[in-house]
Every structure is written in structure tokens, then in C-alpha cells.
């Protein structure tokens, strides 16, 4: 048995899971939240169900990584850090350089840093954690797992924009997508549940949460995806606008007398469900208030509308559909949301059995037994995908 650590670092959080491989069992997991802020929170959950929480002001990125390893020893999970033989890092942007996960070398690390323009909030901090864990675990193999690698071989007709071609050649202006690690896991898991080879299936996977994206798989290959050059494009999300006319963006920046970066920040952090509802980015809050607040209902209806649009267009691209797969926070737990989306797609043979759909957070086929298109709920597991890649490459 070997122990492999999956690191999922955000701009203000550090999520991690320690796996026993090849058994693929989770030994421990945790979250460090509010990094570099007052009231930083460090949480650990062990395989036996025990949970530990610590609060400390201004936990730095480096201290967070050190605390993960020291607490694993404190709680008796590790007797020595050398037991960890591999570390997998989720990296948001790999551009066109990385068509697969990669063992981290000095060159790979340099390239990850150079791709910061494609993910300015994520790539720099993720590169930093690579360097920190190289110091803390010098004997462990480190692997970068890229969110974008799934989409590097999409057809050019889908990844290019209708702009001068030299902008793609000179500046890398194309659709890169996101959530690729989640979509990759969910598509393969759905094929297992259906007991069919992924290479035989036409699938659409719906990663619906605070950030949401839709991906079409044609016989095991990503055909198209909703997120674009950045995760701002695509369906409306918790705080992101999703697709929008760029002329409107310029118009609003002028009317508001703000810079374009400030306008983009509004589209990323103050739009979507939050912006429309003027209440919350959380679908649960909107569901509770939709009877009394028309804007809450409007925001939810717009979200369903945008998802349905993408599913419909992707079925047209695929020329048919074998299965529709829900995953992530809303996808796994949003009973009403799943039903609402399926109801609008009935003309495609998509249907949900309300009795089967009455659950949260499990894996299940929720379509009627005789449905032309299977509808599944699959729990995403990006960390498992990450450690599998570590084992595969090392």
C-alpha cells in the first residue's frame, strides 16, 4: 500500500485528501479556509469519522501545507512523512502545452507559471504549492493534473472563436474550458454504472454548482464544453454571468465609468444568481424564497434555461444522446433543479422518475426504466482522478 496526497488549491482555500493506493480508500481529508485572513480555519476528517477543527488568524499558504503534514502525524495517520510517495496537484490552466497530466520537472513548473495569464487567481498559487511540497516532501513524486487537458483535442470548429486567426496563433485566444478533471471522472464513472464502454457512448455531463459547466462527450472524447477562454463563459452560475454580448460589457463599463478589469470582476463575482436575485448565489436560498420573491424564482428559471440551451445544442452536435449526467453541488443535491431541467428536455427523450429522483448526494440512475436517454446522478471525485494520474505516471 502506498499513500498519495491530492492537493486542490484555490486562491483562498486548500483542499486535500490522502489516499491509500491502489485500494483508492480515503485515509484523511481536510480543508484550510480563509487563508491569509483573520479567522483562518483548518479542518481535518479521518477515516474513522473523527473531525478536528482549529481556528487561527492569518494562516499562510506555506503554513497551511505544513499543518496538513504535521497534523497527519499528530493524529496517527503517518509515522513518517516518507510514507507519502506521491502528490498530485490540480492545476487550472495548462493551455495547449499539456494534453495530459504531467510529472513535475523544473521545466513543467516554469511552464505552469508562464500560463498564469490564463488563470491569474489559480496558477500562481498552485505553482507555489508545488514548490512548498517539494521542500516538505523531497522524496515524493509530484504530478500536475490540468483542468484544461481534457479539452486540448476538441475539434477546432468548437474551440476557435470567430476572430482573426492570428489572435489564436499569436496569443492563444481559444476556448480552454474548465472543470475537466471532474468531467473526466464523471464520464468514466457513468459508463461504469451503465455497464457500457465509454467509447460507445454519447454523453453530456452537467457539473452544476457555484461554478457550472456542460461538456459533450462523443465516444470517449470531449467534443465541446460551455466554459471558454476563462471560466466566465458558458451557463449562468452562482456569481458569474455566463455568456454575454461583449458589446454590452463595453457599454456597461462606459456607463458605470469603470475600467474593463473592474467590469470583468463584476461579471465574475457580482453577477449570475446573485446579481439577478439580488439575494444570494446559493440555489438553496433562492428555492426557499422563490414563493415570495419573484427575483429568486427568475434567477432559478434563468439558470435552468441556460443549462437547457447548452444541452439542446450539444445533442444537435452529437447527433443523439445516450445519457445525461448530473454532478457537483447542485447536480448531486438539487432535486427540484434536476427535475426542472429534465422536464424542459422531454422532447429529446429525457425524463426523470420523481420517485427515483427524491434523494441527495448519492449515485443513481433517475430516469424511468424504459427511457430512451438514461439520466444519472454521479458524485464527482476530482481528488480520486488526481491520485489515479499520480499512480499512472509514476
Amino acid at each position: 500500500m502506498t499513500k498519495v496526497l491530492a492537493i486542490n488549491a484555490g486562491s483562498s482555500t486548500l483542499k486535500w485528501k490522502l489516499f491509500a493506493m491502489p485500494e483508492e480508500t480515503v485515509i484523511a481529508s481536510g480543508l484550510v479556509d480563509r487563508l491569509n485572513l483573520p479567522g483562518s480555519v483548518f479542518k481535518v476528517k479521518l477515516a474513522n469519522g473523527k473531525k478536528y477543527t482549529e481556528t487561527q488568524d492569518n494562516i499562510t499558504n506555506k503554513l497551511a501545507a505544513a499543518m496538513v503534514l504535521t497534523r497527519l502525524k499528530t493524529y496517527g495517520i503517518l509515522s513518517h512523512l516518507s510514507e507519502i510517495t506521491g502528490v498530485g496537484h490540480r492545476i487550472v490552466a495548462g493551455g495547449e502545452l499539456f494534453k495530459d497530466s504531467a510529472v513535475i520537472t523544473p521545466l513543467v513548473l516554469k511552464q505552469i507559471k508562464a500560463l498564469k495569464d490564463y488563470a491569474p487567481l489559480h496558477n500562481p498559487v498552485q505553482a507555489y504549492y508545488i514548490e512548498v511540497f517539494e521542500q516538505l516532501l523531497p522524496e515524493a513524486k509530484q504530478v500536475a493534473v490540468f483542468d484544461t487537458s481534457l479539452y486540448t483535442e476538441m475539434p477546432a470548429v468548437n474551440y476557435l472563436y470567430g476572430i482573426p486567426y492570428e489572435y489564436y496563433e499569436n496569443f492563444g485566444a481559444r476556448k480552454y474550458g474548465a472543470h475537466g478533471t471532474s468531467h473526466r471522472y464523471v464520464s468514466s464513472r457513468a459508463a461504469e454504472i451503465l455497464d457500457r464502454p465509454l467509447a460507445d457512448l454519447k454523453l453530456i455531463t452537467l457539473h452544476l454548482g457555484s461554478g457550472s459547466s456542460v461538456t459533450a462527450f462523443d465516444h470517449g472524447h470531449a467534443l465541446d464544453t460551455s466554459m471558454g477562454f476563462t471560466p466566465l463563459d458558458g451557463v449562468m452560475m452562482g456569481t458569474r454571468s455566463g455568456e454575454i454580448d461583449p458589446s454590452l460589457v463595453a457599454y456597461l463599463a462606459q456607463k458605470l465609468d469603470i475600467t474593463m478589469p473592474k467590469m470583468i470582476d463584476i461579471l465574475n463575482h457580482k453577477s449570475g444568481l446573485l446579481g439577478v436575485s439580488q439575494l444570494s448565489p446559493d440555489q438553496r436560498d433562492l428555492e426557499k424564497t422563490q414563493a415570495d420573491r419573484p427575483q429568486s424564482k427568475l434567477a432559478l428559471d434563468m439558470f435552468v434555461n441556460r443549462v437547457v440551451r447548452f444541452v439542446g445544442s450539444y445533442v444537435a452536435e452529437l447527433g443523439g444522446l445516450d445519457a445525461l449526467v448530473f454532478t457537483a453541488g447542485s447536480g448531486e443535491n438539487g432535486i427540484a433543479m434536476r427535475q426542472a431541467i429534465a422536464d424542459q428536455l422531454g422532447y429529446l427523450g429525457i425524463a426523470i422518475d420523481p420517485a427515483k429522483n427524491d434523494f441527495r448526494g448519492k449515485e443513481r440512475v433517475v430516469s424511468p426504466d424504459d427511457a430512451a436517454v438514461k439520466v444519472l446522478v454521479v458524485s464527482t471525485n476530482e481528488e480520486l482522478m488526481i491520485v489515479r494520474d499520480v499512480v499512472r505516471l509514476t
Side-chain angles (χ1 to χ4, degrees):
M1 180 183 72
T2 60
K3 296 183 177 71
V4 180
L5 184 63
I7 297 295
N8 187 343
S11 55
S12 62
T13 62
L14 175 65
K15 299 177 184 178
W16 59 273
K17 283 186 181 180
L18 182 66
F19 286 81
M21 300 296 284
E23 297 85 353
E24 298 187 348
T25 56
V26 177
I27 303 173
S29 61
L31 167 69
V32 192
D33 199 7
R34 294 180 55 83
L35 286 168
N36 303 299
L37 293 170
S40 303
V41 180
F42 183 92
K43 297 181 179 180
V44 177
K45 180 180 179 180
L46 306 184
N48 60 12
K50 289 186 178 179
K51 298 179 181 180
Y52 302 90
T53 300
E54 302 176 44
T55 301
Q56 179 178 327
D57 286 340
N58 304 307
I59 296 179
T60 64
N61 300 81
K62 187 171 184 177
L63 177 58
M67 288 176 71
V68 170
L69 300 179
T70 56
R71 298 309 184 269
L72 287 173
K73 292 179 68 176
T74 300
Y75 301 137
I77 302 303
L78 300 175
S79 57
H80 195 278
L81 295 182
S82 62
E83 294 175 44
I84 298 177
T85 59
V87 182
H89 297 263
R90 176 212 174 200
I91 309 296
V92 169
E96 291 187 317
L97 285 173
F98 297 99
K99 299 183 185 302
D100 191 6
S101 301
V103 175
I104 295 169
T105 64
L107 175 60
V108 167
L109 180 58
K110 182 179 179 181
Q111 291 169 324
I112 291 171
K113 292 179 178 179
L115 290 164
K116 63 180 174 58
D117 287 347
Y118 297 158
L121 294 179
H122 292 89
N123 270 42
V125 71
Q126 289 162 350
Y128 177 79
Y129 275 112
I130 290 172
E131 294 176 318
V132 169
F133 278 99
E134 282 180 338
Q135 297 171 6
L136 297 174
L137 299 170
E139 299 176 17
K141 296 288 186 180
Q142 301 212 52
V143 170
V145 180
F146 299 92
D147 271 357
T148 53
S149 63
L150 177 66
Y151 305 114
T152 55
E153 296 185 354
M154 284 194 307
V157 68
N158 286 334
Y159 71 67
L160 286 177
Y161 293 105
I163 56 179
Y165 191 76
E166 61 265 27
Y167 297 168
Y168 164 64
E169 294 180 301
N170 297 334
F171 310 122
R174 57 157 286 178
K175 178 187 287 191
Y176 288 102
H179 294 151
T181 306
S182 174
H183 286 288
R184 185 158 57 102
Y185 173 81
V186 168
S187 61
S188 62
R189 179 62 185 144
E192 291 177 1
I193 293 171
L194 294 173
D195 195 24
R196 293 181 60 184
L198 182 59
D200 289 350
L201 294 170
K202 294 182 178 183
L203 297 176
I204 295 176
T205 51
L206 307 177
H207 180 110
L208 307 180
S210 178
S212 297
S213 59
V214 182
T215 293
F217 287 90
D218 190 5
H219 298 93
H221 300 283
L223 176 69
D224 207 347
T225 194
S226 59
M227 286 181 167
F229 180 71
T230 73
L232 178 57
D233 198 13
V235 301
M236 190 173 83
M237 307 173 220
T239 63
R240 296 182 186 130
S241 65
E243 59 184 0
I244 186 172
D245 183 343
S247 294
L248 176 59
V249 178
Y251 170 82
L252 290 174
Q254 182 181 34
K255 289 294 184 182
L256 294 168
D257 193 23
I258 58 177
T259 64
M260 191 58 69
K262 177 62 176 177
M263 190 68 233
I264 297 299
D265 182 71
I266 291 172
L267 295 178
N268 268 301
H269 301 293
K270 297 182 180 180
S271 302
L273 295 173
L274 173 63
V276 174
S277 71
Q278 296 184 309
L279 176 67
S280 173
D282 193 313
Q283 292 183 19
R284 293 168 295 187
D285 294 335
L286 303 185
E287 287 176 352
K288 292 175 184 177
T289 59
Q290 63 180 330
D292 302 316
R293 295 188 77 256
Q295 281 179 258
S296 294
K297 185 177 186 306
L298 175 61
L300 292 170
D301 289 347
M302 287 176 65
F303 180 81
V304 171
N305 172 271
R306 300 318 192 255
V307 173
V308 167
R309 284 188 196 177
F310 273 95
V311 173
S313 66
Y314 288 172
V315 172
E317 281 193 71
L318 288 164
L321 186 65
D322 293 306
L324 181 69
V325 188
F326 289 88
T327 194
S330 298
E332 294 173 32
N333 298 287
I335 297 171
M337 183 61 62
R338 293 193 297 255
Q339 190 73 59
I341 290 170
D343 286 348
Q344 290 196 30
L345 294 168
Y347 71 98
L348 293 172
I350 294 171
I352 283 180
D353 182 329
K356 292 182 179 181
N357 188 46
D358 190 18
F359 76 99
R360 303 179 190 277
K362 299 178 183 178
E363 293 189 334
R364 182 180 296 176
V365 176
V366 294
S367 50
D369 294 340
D370 60 350
V373 177
K374 299 298 183 184
V375 182
L376 299 82
V377 179
V378 175
S379 299
T380 192
N381 197 332
E382 294 170 291
E383 290 81 10
L384 179 56
M385 199 83 260
I386 289 170
V387 297
R388 283 177 177 175
D389 280 3
V390 173
V391 172
R392 174 171 61 89
L393 294 172
T394 60

